Amino acid sequence: MNRRALILSVLALGSASFVGAAWYVKRQAPLESAQSLVSEGNEVLVRPYSPVLGPENAPVTIVEFFDPACEACRAFHPIVKDLLAQHEPAVRVVIRYTPFHGAASEEAIRILEAARMQGVFEPVLEAVLREQPRWASHGSPQPGLILGIAAAAGLDAEAARTQMLAPDVVGILNQDRADVEAVGVRQTPTFFVNGKPLDPFGDVELRRLVSAEVAAVQN
């Protein structure tokens, strides 16, 4: 078991949703490529359309390459929320969609984008992640359940059916896929903090990197 798998196994203790070893895609390209893109001023990490949690103009930006069907993303979501609360208003989270788990991931992303159009992105995100074990089983995913889950969290499902197919949503999915490839992301979640990749990976390391960046901007 590698270090990343060990960390996430510890995070998952007591949760029935963390039962497999194949719940992330191993990175096959080094994050140094992303560092060079960032150092050159490339906007590949943050797009103007990307969903943002926290204050829009916060000086510290956590970029999370995120798959709603990924158990590890679900495990790290409380940590991300804790960092937002701990360092408010200095930190924001920019979400980049990374649909590594196929049709179920894409369906969830389309529904999240419909929720964003309706102003209920965060409650729907919470519901989709909370109920992930129901719809995102990697052996037998059931993406047809996601819309009902989102509707229970406040989404207008009838309107969402049209919004999910909007050209803007297709464009966001296509651009995020292109950026995932450009950055070299091969596993979720992958984090950057003010352009710095989280490497080595871990909850302690993420907290440490965020705290250092917050201290730097406050000095």
Side-chain angles (χ1 to χ4, degrees), residues 150-211:
L155 184 75
D156 181 335
E158 184 175 351
R161 289 188 179 93
T162 299
Q163 293 167 329
M164 290 163 59
L165 303 177
D168 285 353
V169 175
V170 176
I172 287 169
L173 272 165
N174 288 341
Q175 185 62 64
D176 276 14
R177 282 195 192 95
D179 289 344
V180 164
E181 288 301 313
V183 173
V185 173
R186 295 292 182 268
Q187 60 191 22
T188 54
T190 290
F191 293 100
F192 292 80
V193 182
N194 278 1
K196 299 175 181 176
L198 180 66
D199 198 11
F201 178 89
D203 60 319
V204 172
E205 289 83 356
L206 179 60
R207 292 179 186 276
R208 184 180 298 128
L209 182 54
V210 171
S211 294

Tab-separated table of all heavy atoms in Angstrom, residues 150-211:
chain	number	residue	atom	x	y	z
A	150	ALA	N	-30.409	15.129	-5.832
A	150	ALA	CA	-30.260	16.583	-5.954
A	150	ALA	C	-31.589	17.300	-5.742
A	150	ALA	O	-31.640	18.367	-5.123
A	150	ALA	CB	-29.673	16.931	-7.315
A	151	ALA	N	-32.658	16.712	-6.240
A	151	ALA	CA	-33.987	17.330	-6.072
A	151	ALA	C	-34.347	17.413	-4.591
A	151	ALA	O	-34.928	18.407	-4.137
A	151	ALA	CB	-35.033	16.533	-6.840
A	152	ALA	N	-33.994	16.392	-3.823
A	152	ALA	CA	-34.266	16.417	-2.385
A	152	ALA	C	-33.478	17.501	-1.671
A	152	ALA	O	-33.861	17.935	-0.579
A	152	ALA	CB	-33.951	15.054	-1.778
A	153	ALA	N	-32.398	17.972	-2.307
A	153	ALA	CA	-31.569	19.037	-1.723
A	153	ALA	C	-31.950	20.412	-2.250
A	153	ALA	O	-31.277	21.397	-1.928
A	153	ALA	CB	-30.101	18.765	-2.019
A	154	GLY	N	-32.998	20.491	-3.067
A	154	GLY	CA	-33.485	21.796	-3.504
A	154	GLY	C	-33.416	22.064	-4.987
A	154	GLY	O	-33.817	23.146	-5.444
A	155	LEU	N	-32.940	21.121	-5.773
A	155	LEU	CA	-32.849	21.317	-7.220
A	155	LEU	C	-34.213	21.147	-7.866
A	155	LEU	O	-34.960	20.225	-7.529
A	155	LEU	CB	-31.876	20.300	-7.819
A	155	LEU	CG	-31.595	20.433	-9.318
A	155	LEU	CD1	-30.679	21.620	-9.585
A	155	LEU	CD2	-30.984	19.152	-9.882
A	156	ASP	N	-34.532	22.036	-8.808
A	156	ASP	CA	-35.710	21.873	-9.647
A	156	ASP	C	-35.340	20.869	-10.734
A	156	ASP	O	-34.668	21.211	-11.712
A	156	ASP	CB	-36.100	23.220	-10.260
A	156	ASP	CG	-37.345	23.143	-11.140
A	156	ASP	OD1	-37.647	22.059	-11.674
A	156	ASP	OD2	-37.997	24.188	-11.330
A	157	ALA	N	-35.774	19.633	-10.569
A	157	ALA	CA	-35.342	18.558	-11.462
A	157	ALA	C	-35.839	18.764	-12.886
A	157	ALA	O	-35.118	18.464	-13.847
A	157	ALA	CB	-35.815	17.207	-10.922
A	158	GLU	N	-37.037	19.277	-13.027
A	158	GLU	CA	-37.578	19.475	-14.376
A	158	GLU	C	-36.740	20.488	-15.147
A	158	GLU	O	-36.376	20.260	-16.310
A	158	GLU	CB	-39.035	19.936	-14.299
A	158	GLU	CG	-39.700	20.059	-15.661
A	158	GLU	CD	-41.177	20.400	-15.562
A	158	GLU	OE1	-41.728	20.373	-14.445
A	158	GLU	OE2	-41.780	20.692	-16.609
A	159	ALA	N	-36.428	21.605	-14.515
A	159	ALA	CA	-35.578	22.603	-15.169
A	159	ALA	C	-34.180	22.060	-15.399
A	159	ALA	O	-33.537	22.342	-16.416
A	159	ALA	CB	-35.521	23.876	-14.327
A	160	ALA	N	-33.697	21.260	-14.464
A	160	ALA	CA	-32.332	20.737	-14.557
A	160	ALA	C	-32.152	19.840	-15.775
A	160	ALA	O	-31.074	19.819	-16.379
A	160	ALA	CB	-31.971	19.980	-13.288
A	161	ARG	N	-33.182	19.105	-16.149
A	161	ARG	CA	-33.053	18.204	-17.302
A	161	ARG	C	-32.661	18.963	-18.560
A	161	ARG	O	-31.920	18.454	-19.400
A	161	ARG	CB	-34.357	17.435	-17.512
A	161	ARG	CG	-34.625	16.382	-16.452
A	161	ARG	CD	-35.827	15.510	-16.796
A	161	ARG	NE	-36.047	14.495	-15.779
A	161	ARG	CZ	-36.850	14.633	-14.734
A	161	ARG	NH1	-37.511	15.776	-14.576
A	161	ARG	NH2	-36.980	13.663	-13.852
A	162	THR	N	-33.158	20.184	-18.699
A	162	THR	CA	-32.778	21.014	-19.837
A	162	THR	C	-31.425	21.668	-19.609
A	162	THR	O	-30.567	21.695	-20.498
A	162	THR	CB	-33.844	22.096	-20.087
A	162	THR	OG1	-35.091	21.462	-20.377
A	162	THR	CG2	-33.457	22.996	-21.252
A	163	GLN	N	-31.207	22.181	-18.402
A	163	GLN	CA	-29.962	22.889	-18.096
A	163	GLN	C	-28.740	21.993	-18.223
A	163	GLN	O	-27.668	22.434	-18.646
A	163	GLN	CB	-30.048	23.473	-16.682
A	163	GLN	CG	-31.072	24.583	-16.548
A	163	GLN	CD	-31.377	24.936	-15.104
A	163	GLN	OE1	-31.316	24.088	-14.211
A	163	GLN	NE2	-31.717	26.204	-14.870
A	164	MET	N	-28.889	20.716	-17.889
A	164	MET	CA	-27.770	19.778	-17.954
A	164	MET	C	-27.218	19.621	-19.368
A	164	MET	O	-26.060	19.241	-19.548
A	164	MET	CB	-28.210	18.407	-17.426
A	164	MET	CG	-28.466	18.361	-15.938
A	164	MET	SD	-29.434	16.900	-15.457
A	164	MET	CE	-28.384	15.570	-16.025
A	165	LEU	N	-28.052	19.894	-20.355
A	165	LEU	CA	-27.657	19.711	-21.750
A	165	LEU	C	-27.238	21.011	-22.412
A	165	LEU	O	-26.978	21.039	-23.623
A	165	LEU	CB	-28.818	19.080	-22.530
A	165	LEU	CG	-29.342	17.745	-21.987
A	165	LEU	CD1	-30.529	17.273	-22.808
A	165	LEU	CD2	-28.243	16.693	-21.968
A	166	ALA	N	-27.158	22.087	-21.639
A	166	ALA	CA	-26.822	23.395	-22.201
A	166	ALA	C	-25.425	23.385	-22.809
A	166	ALA	O	-24.515	22.729	-22.287
A	166	ALA	CB	-26.916	24.466	-21.116
A	167	PRO	N	-25.232	24.131	-23.911
A	167	PRO	CA	-23.890	24.194	-24.522
A	167	PRO	C	-22.809	24.651	-23.551
A	167	PRO	O	-21.666	24.193	-23.637
A	167	PRO	CB	-24.082	25.199	-25.670
A	167	PRO	CG	-25.533	25.120	-26.005
A	167	PRO	CD	-26.238	24.859	-24.703
A	168	ASP	N	-23.153	25.544	-22.624
A	168	ASP	CA	-22.158	26.004	-21.650
A	168	ASP	C	-21.653	24.856	-20.783
A	168	ASP	O	-20.460	24.804	-20.430
A	168	ASP	CB	-22.748	27.096	-20.753
A	168	ASP	CG	-22.857	28.430	-21.466
A	168	ASP	OD1	-22.367	28.544	-22.609
A	168	ASP	OD2	-23.443	29.364	-20.876
A	169	VAL	N	-22.539	23.945	-20.421
A	169	VAL	CA	-22.138	22.810	-19.593
A	169	VAL	C	-21.215	21.887	-20.387
A	169	VAL	O	-20.195	21.411	-19.868
A	169	VAL	CB	-23.377	22.050	-19.082
A	169	VAL	CG1	-22.959	20.788	-18.324
A	169	VAL	CG2	-24.214	22.956	-18.176
A	170	VAL	N	-21.557	21.644	-21.634
A	170	VAL	CA	-20.686	20.838	-22.498
A	170	VAL	C	-19.320	21.496	-22.626
A	170	VAL	O	-18.277	20.837	-22.535
A	170	VAL	CB	-21.322	20.655	-23.889
A	170	VAL	CG1	-20.369	19.907	-24.821
A	170	VAL	CG2	-22.652	19.914	-23.775
A	171	GLY	N	-19.304	22.817	-22.795
A	171	GLY	CA	-18.044	23.539	-22.915
A	171	GLY	C	-17.193	23.444	-21.665
A	171	GLY	O	-15.966	23.297	-21.741
A	172	ILE	N	-17.825	23.530	-20.493
A	172	ILE	CA	-17.093	23.415	-19.229
A	172	ILE	C	-16.470	22.034	-19.098
A	172	ILE	O	-15.289	21.895	-18.735
A	172	ILE	CB	-18.041	23.719	-18.044
A	172	ILE	CG1	-18.346	25.216	-17.984
A	172	ILE	CG2	-17.424	23.247	-16.717
A	172	ILE	CD1	-19.473	25.575	-17.032
A	173	LEU	N	-17.231	20.992	-19.404
A	173	LEU	CA	-16.699	19.633	-19.328
A	173	LEU	C	-15.508	19.460	-20.273
A	173	LEU	O	-14.471	18.892	-19.886
A	173	LEU	CB	-17.795	18.631	-19.685
A	173	LEU	CG	-18.684	18.160	-18.536
A	173	LEU	CD1	-19.930	17.470	-19.082
A	173	LEU	CD2	-17.930	17.196	-17.626
A	174	ASN	N	-15.650	19.958	-21.490
A	174	ASN	CA	-14.571	19.791	-22.470
A	174	ASN	C	-13.313	20.558	-22.068
A	174	ASN	O	-12.198	20.043	-22.187
A	174	ASN	CB	-15.045	20.240	-23.850
A	174	ASN	CG	-16.044	19.280	-24.458
A	174	ASN	OD1	-16.143	18.119	-24.056
A	174	ASN	ND2	-16.803	19.744	-25.444
A	175	GLN	N	-13.491	21.793	-21.570
A	175	GLN	CA	-12.324	22.580	-21.180
A	175	GLN	C	-11.649	21.993	-19.948
A	175	GLN	O	-10.410	21.947	-19.868
A	175	GLN	CB	-12.721	24.030	-20.902
A	175	GLN	CG	-11.540	24.948	-20.600
A	175	GLN	CD	-10.577	25.042	-21.762
A	175	GLN	OE1	-10.928	25.532	-22.828
A	175	GLN	NE2	-9.344	24.559	-21.574
A	176	ASP	N	-12.448	21.526	-18.998
A	176	ASP	CA	-11.838	20.926	-17.804
A	176	ASP	C	-11.080	19.649	-18.167
A	176	ASP	O	-9.995	19.392	-17.621
A	176	ASP	CB	-12.902	20.655	-16.743
A	176	ASP	CG	-13.194	21.883	-15.897
A	176	ASP	OD1	-12.778	22.986	-16.286
A	176	ASP	OD2	-13.841	21.742	-14.838
A	177	ARG	N	-11.621	18.859	-19.084
A	177	ARG	CA	-10.877	17.668	-19.528
A	177	ARG	C	-9.538	18.072	-20.143
A	177	ARG	O	-8.510	17.441	-19.883
A	177	ARG	CB	-11.694	16.896	-20.566
A	177	ARG	CG	-12.819	16.053	-20.014
A	177	ARG	CD	-13.294	15.074	-21.062
A	177	ARG	NE	-14.543	14.444	-20.685
A	177	ARG	CZ	-15.739	14.865	-21.073
A	177	ARG	NH1	-15.849	15.931	-21.849
A	177	ARG	NH2	-16.824	14.228	-20.699
A	178	ALA	N	-9.554	19.090	-20.977
A	178	ALA	CA	-8.320	19.545	-21.623
A	178	ALA	C	-7.318	20.032	-20.589
A	178	ALA	O	-6.111	19.758	-20.684
A	178	ALA	CB	-8.630	20.642	-22.638
A	179	ASP	N	-7.804	20.750	-19.560
A	179	ASP	CA	-6.901	21.269	-18.531
A	179	ASP	C	-6.355	20.149	-17.654
A	179	ASP	O	-5.200	20.199	-17.214
A	179	ASP	CB	-7.621	22.317	-17.686
A	179	ASP	CG	-7.872	23.611	-18.454
A	179	ASP	OD1	-7.251	23.812	-19.507
A	179	ASP	OD2	-8.698	24.422	-17.983
A	180	VAL	N	-7.173	19.140	-17.384
A	180	VAL	CA	-6.693	17.977	-16.635
A	180	VAL	C	-5.504	17.351	-17.364
A	180	VAL	O	-4.482	17.002	-16.747
A	180	VAL	CB	-7.833	16.952	-16.449
A	180	VAL	CG1	-7.286	15.583	-16.024
A	180	VAL	CG2	-8.838	17.452	-15.413
A	181	GLU	N	-5.624	17.214	-18.674
A	181	GLU	CA	-4.522	16.641	-19.452
A	181	GLU	C	-3.314	17.572	-19.462
A	181	GLU	O	-2.174	17.129	-19.341
A	181	GLU	CB	-4.995	16.368	-20.887
A	181	GLU	CG	-5.946	15.201	-20.999
A	181	GLU	CD	-5.326	13.907	-20.481
A	181	GLU	OE1	-4.173	13.613	-20.851
A	181	GLU	OE2	-5.989	13.195	-19.709
A	182	ALA	N	-3.558	18.871	-19.611
A	182	ALA	CA	-2.446	19.826	-19.680
A	182	ALA	C	-1.655	19.860	-18.378
A	182	ALA	O	-0.425	19.964	-18.382
A	182	ALA	CB	-2.977	21.224	-20.008
A	183	VAL	N	-2.362	19.760	-17.251
A	183	VAL	CA	-1.708	19.812	-15.942
A	183	VAL	C	-1.026	18.483	-15.619
A	183	VAL	O	-0.048	18.441	-14.872
A	183	VAL	CB	-2.727	20.192	-14.848
A	183	VAL	CG1	-2.114	20.095	-13.463
A	183	VAL	CG2	-3.250	21.605	-15.084
A	184	GLY	N	-1.526	17.393	-16.189
A	184	GLY	CA	-0.964	16.084	-15.889
A	184	GLY	C	-1.606	15.414	-14.703
A	184	GLY	O	-0.996	14.579	-14.043
A	185	VAL	N	-2.862	15.770	-14.411
A	185	VAL	CA	-3.577	15.169	-13.285
A	185	VAL	C	-3.972	13.742	-13.658
A	185	VAL	O	-4.584	13.510	-14.697
A	185	VAL	CB	-4.834	15.989	-12.939
A	185	VAL	CG1	-5.686	15.277	-11.888
A	185	VAL	CG2	-4.434	17.376	-12.449
A	186	ARG	N	-3.623	12.795	-12.795
A	186	ARG	CA	-3.957	11.396	-13.029
A	186	ARG	C	-4.609	10.743	-11.816
A	186	ARG	O	-4.742	9.522	-11.767
A	186	ARG	CB	-2.697	10.606	-13.433
A	186	ARG	CG	-2.115	11.047	-14.778
A	186	ARG	CD	-3.047	10.691	-15.939
A	186	ARG	NE	-2.494	11.060	-17.222
A	186	ARG	CZ	-2.707	12.238	-17.832
A	186	ARG	NH1	-3.455	13.155	-17.238
A	186	ARG	NH2	-2.173	12.495	-19.008
A	187	GLN	N	-4.990	11.538	-10.829
A	187	GLN	CA	-5.665	10.986	-9.662
A	187	GLN	C	-6.496	12.091	-9.020
A	187	GLN	O	-6.201	13.279	-9.172
A	187	GLN	CB	-4.670	10.421	-8.658
A	187	GLN	CG	-3.681	11.456	-8.128
A	187	GLN	CD	-2.555	10.820	-7.339
A	187	GLN	OE1	-2.263	9.648	-7.508
A	187	GLN	NE2	-1.921	11.597	-6.486
A	188	THR	N	-7.533	11.684	-8.332
A	188	THR	CA	-8.363	12.643	-7.622
A	188	THR	C	-8.464	12.234	-6.153
A	188	THR	O	-8.476	11.047	-5.842
A	188	THR	CB	-9.781	12.714	-8.234
A	188	THR	OG1	-10.349	11.392	-8.294
A	188	THR	CG2	-9.738	13.349	-9.607
A	189	PRO	N	-8.508	13.244	-5.253
A	189	PRO	CA	-8.334	14.658	-5.573
A	189	PRO	C	-6.861	14.995	-5.784
A	189	PRO	O	-5.979	14.360	-5.208
A	189	PRO	CB	-8.873	15.371	-4.339
A	189	PRO	CG	-8.574	14.414	-3.208
A	189	PRO	CD	-8.739	13.034	-3.797
A	190	THR	N	-6.621	15.987	-6.601
A	190	THR	CA	-5.299	16.601	-6.721
A	190	THR	C	-5.457	18.066	-6.338
A	190	THR	O	-6.372	18.730	-6.826
A	190	THR	CB	-4.738	16.467	-8.142
A	190	THR	OG1	-4.403	15.093	-8.374
A	190	THR	CG2	-3.480	17.307	-8.331
A	191	PHE	N	-4.577	18.554	-5.472
A	191	PHE	CA	-4.691	19.911	-4.945
A	191	PHE	C	-3.504	20.768	-5.366
A	191	PHE	O	-2.365	20.297	-5.428
A	191	PHE	CB	-4.744	19.901	-3.419
A	191	PHE	CG	-5.979	19.277	-2.830
A	191	PHE	CD1	-5.955	17.972	-2.355
A	191	PHE	CD2	-7.165	20.000	-2.737
A	191	PHE	CE1	-7.080	17.395	-1.803
A	191	PHE	CE2	-8.301	19.423	-2.186
A	191	PHE	CZ	-8.261	18.113	-1.717
A	192	PHE	N	-3.809	22.046	-5.594
A	192	PHE	CA	-2.792	23.090	-5.729
A	192	PHE	C	-3.196	24.222	-4.786
A	192	PHE	O	-4.392	24.523	-4.648
A	192	PHE	CB	-2.730	23.631	-7.156
A	192	PHE	CG	-2.216	22.645	-8.164
A	192	PHE	CD1	-3.052	21.671	-8.684
A	192	PHE	CD2	-0.898	22.690	-8.587
A	192	PHE	CE1	-2.585	20.751	-9.612
A	192	PHE	CE2	-0.423	21.776	-9.517
A	192	PHE	CZ	-1.267	20.809	-10.032
A	193	VAL	N	-2.216	24.836	-4.141
A	193	VAL	CA	-2.491	25.972	-3.255
A	193	VAL	C	-1.669	27.152	-3.747
A	193	VAL	O	-0.434	27.109	-3.719
A	193	VAL	CB	-2.150	25.642	-1.790
A	193	VAL	CG1	-2.495	26.845	-0.897
A	193	VAL	CG2	-2.912	24.401	-1.327
A	194	ASN	N	-2.363	28.169	-4.226
A	194	ASN	CA	-1.696	29.310	-4.868
A	194	ASN	C	-0.683	28.842	-5.908
A	194	ASN	O	0.434	29.352	-6.003
A	194	ASN	CB	-1.042	30.230	-3.830
A	194	ASN	CG	-2.047	31.192	-3.214
A	194	ASN	OD1	-3.230	31.164	-3.548
A	194	ASN	ND2	-1.595	32.043	-2.313
A	195	GLY	N	-1.095	27.850	-6.691
A	195	GLY	CA	-0.275	27.352	-7.781
A	195	GLY	C	0.745	26.304	-7.393
A	195	GLY	O	1.392	25.717	-8.265
A	196	LYS	N	0.880	26.020	-6.094
A	196	LYS	CA	1.870	25.034	-5.636
A	196	LYS	C	1.203	23.669	-5.487
A	196	LYS	O	0.206	23.545	-4.778
A	196	LYS	CB	2.471	25.466	-4.298
A	196	LYS	CG	3.201	26.800	-4.363
A	196	LYS	CD	3.677	27.236	-2.985
A	196	LYS	CE	4.384	28.586	-3.051
A	196	LYS	NZ	4.779	29.076	-1.708
A	197	PRO	N	1.736	22.638	-6.135
A	197	PRO	CA	1.111	21.319	-6.025
A	197	PRO	C	1.302	20.713	-4.644
A	197	PRO	O	2.342	20.891	-4.006
A	197	PRO	CB	1.841	20.490	-7.085
A	197	PRO	CG	3.155	21.159	-7.252
A	197	PRO	CD	2.925	22.626	-7.011
A	198	LEU	N	0.272	20.018	-4.177
A	198	LEU	CA	0.366	19.290	-2.915
A	198	LEU	C	1.074	17.966	-3.196
A	198	LEU	O	0.463	17.003	-3.674
A	198	LEU	CB	-1.020	19.035	-2.327
A	198	LEU	CG	-1.036	18.283	-0.993
A	198	LEU	CD1	-0.402	19.118	0.106
A	198	LEU	CD2	-2.457	17.876	-0.615
A	199	ASP	N	2.341	17.935	-2.899
A	199	ASP	CA	3.152	16.762	-3.172
A	199	ASP	C	4.325	16.761	-2.189
A	199	ASP	O	5.169	17.657	-2.270
A	199	ASP	CB	3.655	16.785	-4.620
A	199	ASP	CG	4.119	15.433	-5.109
A	199	ASP	OD1	3.857	14.434	-4.413
A	199	ASP	OD2	4.738	15.372	-6.186
A	200	PRO	N	4.352	15.849	-1.193
A	200	PRO	CA	3.538	14.652	-1.061
A	200	PRO	C	2.091	14.949	-0.669
A	200	PRO	O	1.782	16.012	-0.150
A	200	PRO	CB	4.242	13.859	0.041
A	200	PRO	CG	4.900	14.913	0.878
A	200	PRO	CD	5.339	15.964	-0.097
A	201	PHE	N	1.255	13.962	-0.924
A	201	PHE	CA	-0.178	14.080	-0.695
A	201	PHE	C	-0.516	13.712	0.744
A	201	PHE	O	0.051	12.772	1.296
A	201	PHE	CB	-0.914	13.142	-1.651
A	201	PHE	CG	-2.403	13.138	-1.482
A	201	PHE	CD1	-3.190	14.030	-2.167
A	201	PHE	CD2	-3.011	12.221	-0.630
A	201	PHE	CE1	-4.564	14.018	-2.025
A	201	PHE	CE2	-4.386	12.205	-0.474
A	201	PHE	CZ	-5.169	13.111	-1.178
A	202	GLY	N	-1.474	14.434	1.332
A	202	GLY	CA	-1.958	14.075	2.654
A	202	GLY	C	-2.752	15.198	3.275
A	202	GLY	O	-2.598	16.369	2.905
A	203	ASP	N	-3.617	14.856	4.228
A	203	ASP	CA	-4.416	15.885	4.894
A	203	ASP	C	-3.541	16.814	5.725
A	203	ASP	O	-3.745	18.034	5.733
A	203	ASP	CB	-5.514	15.254	5.746
A	203	ASP	CG	-4.975	14.339	6.824
A	203	ASP	OD1	-4.020	13.581	6.565
A	203	ASP	OD2	-5.514	14.375	7.941
A	204	VAL	N	-2.541	16.259	6.405
A	204	VAL	CA	-1.646	17.100	7.202
A	204	VAL	C	-0.869	18.043	6.293
A	204	VAL	O	-0.715	19.231	6.586
A	204	VAL	CB	-0.687	16.219	8.040
A	204	VAL	CG1	0.368	17.089	8.725
A	204	VAL	CG2	-1.471	15.423	9.072
A	205	GLU	N	-0.387	17.509	5.185
A	205	GLU	CA	0.369	18.336	4.248
A	205	GLU	C	-0.495	19.433	3.643
A	205	GLU	O	-0.026	20.560	3.441
A	205	GLU	CB	0.950	17.452	3.137
A	205	GLU	CG	2.087	16.551	3.590
A	205	GLU	CD	1.618	15.266	4.245
A	205	GLU	OE1	0.384	15.080	4.425
A	205	GLU	OE2	2.480	14.442	4.597
A	206	LEU	N	-1.760	19.121	3.359
A	206	LEU	CA	-2.656	20.142	2.816
A	206	LEU	C	-2.879	21.257	3.831
A	206	LEU	O	-2.804	22.446	3.490
A	206	LEU	CB	-3.992	19.512	2.419
A	206	LEU	CG	-5.038	20.477	1.853
A	206	LEU	CD1	-4.542	21.171	0.589
A	206	LEU	CD2	-6.359	19.723	1.578
A	207	ARG	N	-3.124	20.887	5.066
A	207	ARG	CA	-3.327	21.902	6.103
A	207	ARG	C	-2.071	22.761	6.277
A	207	ARG	O	-2.160	23.986	6.433
A	207	ARG	CB	-3.690	21.231	7.428
A	207	ARG	CG	-5.062	20.563	7.429
A	207	ARG	CD	-5.343	19.897	8.760
A	207	ARG	NE	-6.568	19.134	8.757
A	207	ARG	CZ	-7.778	19.635	8.962
A	207	ARG	NH1	-7.913	20.931	9.182
A	207	ARG	NH2	-8.846	18.856	8.937
A	208	ARG	N	-0.920	22.109	6.236
A	208	ARG	CA	0.333	22.833	6.419
A	208	ARG	C	0.568	23.819	5.264
A	208	ARG	O	0.957	24.970	5.491
A	208	ARG	CB	1.489	21.839	6.515
A	208	ARG	CG	2.842	22.489	6.804
A	208	ARG	CD	3.935	21.437	6.885
A	208	ARG	NE	3.678	20.498	7.983
A	208	ARG	CZ	3.653	19.187	7.871
A	208	ARG	NH1	3.861	18.620	6.689
A	208	ARG	NH2	3.436	18.423	8.919
A	209	LEU	N	0.321	23.376	4.031
A	209	LEU	CA	0.549	24.235	2.875
A	209	LEU	C	-0.412	25.419	2.871
A	209	LEU	O	-0.011	26.560	2.612
A	209	LEU	CB	0.397	23.415	1.592
A	209	LEU	CG	0.642	24.146	0.268
A	209	LEU	CD1	2.003	24.828	0.242
A	209	LEU	CD2	0.499	23.167	-0.898
A	210	VAL	N	-1.671	25.172	3.206
A	210	VAL	CA	-2.646	26.263	3.251
A	210	VAL	C	-2.264	27.264	4.348
A	210	VAL	O	-2.297	28.485	4.121
A	210	VAL	CB	-4.067	25.715	3.468
A	210	VAL	CG1	-5.053	26.857	3.746
A	210	VAL	CG2	-4.518	24.916	2.251
A	211	SER	N	-1.911	26.768	5.511
A	211	SER	CA	-1.534	27.666	6.609
A	211	SER	C	-0.335	28.515	6.234
A	211	SER	O	-0.275	29.716	6.562
A	211	SER	CB	-1.224	26.851	7.865
A	211	SER	OG	-2.384	26.197	8.347
